[in-house]
Amino acid sequence: MASTPAADVPHSSRYPWPQVTALVVGAAFFLVGLVGFTVTGFGNFFLHDHNVHLLGFSVNPLHNLVHFVIGLAGMAASTGLRATAVFGWALVIGYGAVFVFGLFAASIPEIDFMNINWADNGLHLVSAAIGLLVALGAAKIGTREGWTDPPRPGTH
């Protein structure tokens, strides 16, 4: 009886939890970006006004666009384990950097081109932590079960 290489064995789950998490996080960012545009519109792209907010989080059109793009990326990345890992690391690096930037920008209007407030800073740190969990989870599953993605419907 010949053994099957790990790369040829499908995952024990059609959609492992890191992929589901990337999909949910992506959908949330996508929706927040869309709803944010209803608050800010599309003008004054780099507006700095902490009175313009969505559920206590300051927003401007640039901030909304970033959420929208991250949302699309998360939903697209959720279709494959490797892409999910990359998305997770992108959240870690991107939101980690934005968190550090926000520590200064929230208090210095001259550099705050994304209209970041202290609530945003907390959420950016949480987003980086979620990215770390997704990246490490995808890497663990990929290493253990092989990096082959689950078969797509209609394929063999």
Side-chain angles (χ1 to χ4, degrees), residues 24-90:
V24 170
V25 167
F29 273 107
F30 179 81
L31 291 173
V32 166
L34 284 179
V35 173
F37 281 120
T38 68
V39 172
T40 65
F42 296 94
N44 205 357
F45 211 68
F46 302 104
L47 172 73
H48 175 79
D49 180 355
H50 286 175
N51 292 317
V52 178
H53 55 85
L54 176 64
L55 301 173
F57 300 95
S58 294
V59 292
N60 66 14
L62 175 61
H63 206 143
N64 296 331
L65 181 62
V66 169
H67 288 155
F68 183 80
V69 169
I70 289 170
L72 288 175
M75 291 186 294
S78 72
T79 63
L81 196 55
R82 287 178 196 265
T84 297
V86 171
F87 175 70
W89 287 118

Side-chain angles (χ1 to χ4, degrees), residues 81-143:
L81 196 55
R82 287 178 196 265
T84 297
V86 171
F87 175 70
W89 287 118
L91 287 181
V92 171
I93 294 166
Y95 274 109
V98 171
F99 170 73
V100 171
F101 171 73
L103 293 176
F104 301 98
S107 301
I108 305 171
E110 295 78 23
I111 66 169
D112 191 6
F113 59 89
M114 289 187 63
N115 202 27
I116 296 173
N117 67 7
W118 291 104
D120 290 313
N121 282 336
L123 191 56
H124 294 156
L125 187 58
V126 169
S127 297
I130 290 170
L132 183 61
L133 291 174
V134 166
L136 293 177
K140 183 175 181 177
I141 292 169
T143 301

